[in-house]
Amino acid sequence: MLHMPVRERWLSRQELALVLVTAVWGSTFLIVHIAVQYSGPWFFVGMRFITAGLISAVIFARILPGITRKEVVAGAAIGVMIFLGYGLQTVGLQTITSSTSAFITALYVPLVPMLQWIVFKKPPRLPTWVGVLLAFTGLMLLADPGSASFSFGSGEIMTVVSTLPIAAEIILIGWFAGKVDLGRVTVVQLLVAGLLGFLTMPVVGEQPPAFSWVWVAAAVTLGAASCLIQLTMNWAQKSVSPTRATIIYAAEPVWAALIGRIAGERLPQIAIVGAAFIVAGALISELNPRKSTKSSTEATAPDAHTPDADADDAAASASQLERTDQRI
């Protein structure tokens, strides 16, 4: 009796789940782009994160009574970065397409090792430098300053600036990793980001918008999606390697472009080339050429650790935690 070889599935259930949540991430850019046509950016940031915070508070209600001062401080610090990063991104989405915003936002990936160099004095690896160069080249092509129809305007500038606090957010999460409870900190940071969004309105002279089911539905949808994504990724990333996860996550702006195109957005050809450079830069900057060497070393000496290896593990932990906690 002949037995046909069993083919391995191209994607496991966990990897398929990550693909789906990455597609959801990509759709959030278009949702926000539409919502800010009916609401001011800072009001929407407030609604978006207060909603996400309240939903998270329900999910983590059992552990909230044990919150510590360190967790409040950690949540507040990360919340400020969320507020600045996603707030500026939302302001930019008033004047640029969701596709452009998504590709520019991907710059935060190669920025993280650069900030680690500044904060922790850990020099970036060669792939990081290559990734930064590709991402910067891609940004110039995406913006195409010489084009009369696609200039490097205020929306692009706001979005580029937003990548700095988003990258800083990852550094902070890595700093507090293992020292605080992730659930309690998540609730605090979301509520802080939402509150700061509302407090910014009088500072910039923004008035509350007229009631519209568009911004209401967008805020509730994004809040619920944030919690669903977090829970799904916490489950999936227990069995998916960081390398595989990174490749899946790098498709986020590609999903945004596809969804934006369905909605009628069009990027110039030069901008599409630039977008490809940014995605390539994000992927290459995450490569770790020493991983195979490290794995073989651990096989013979499992208890051996070096400062560089620990630093790489901390960086990977920060990146992984950011993915599971803050892609909202």
Side-chain angles (χ1 to χ4, degrees), residues 254-277:
V254 178
W255 282 109
L258 290 173
I259 294 169
R261 186 171 181 82
I262 293 173
E265 295 182 354
R266 297 292 185 272
L267 288 177
Q269 289 186 347
I270 189 68
I272 294 175
V273 174
F277 269 78

Side-chain angles (χ1 to χ4, degrees), residues 23 94 145 154 179 199:
Q94 289 182 298
S154 60
K179 304 174 185 176
L199 292 177

Side-chain angles (χ1 to χ4, degrees), residues 154-166:
S154 60
E156 288 86 356
I157 293 173
M158 285 289 188
T159 309
V160 169
V161 175
S162 77
T163 62
L164 292 172
I166 290 175

Side-chain angles (χ1 to χ4, degrees), residues 226-244:
S226 300
C227 299
L228 176 62
I229 287 172
Q230 176 181 310
L231 294 174
T232 301
M233 296 179 65
N234 285 341
W235 165 74
Q237 290 186 182
K238 291 179 181 179
S239 58
V240 179
S241 71
T243 302
R244 292 277 288 182

Side-chain angles (χ1 to χ4, degrees), residues 137-149:
T137 302
L139 176 63
M140 293 298 99
L141 294 173
L142 184 66
D144 190 17
S147 172
S149 61

Side-chain angles (χ1 to χ4, degrees), residues 22 25-26 29 98-99 101-106 249-259 275 278-279:
T22 302
W25 290 339
F29 289 89
S98 61
S99 305
S101 177
F103 282 114
I104 294 177
T105 301
Y249 297 146
E252 178 187 1
V254 178
W255 282 109
L258 290 173
I259 294 169
I278 291 176
V279 172

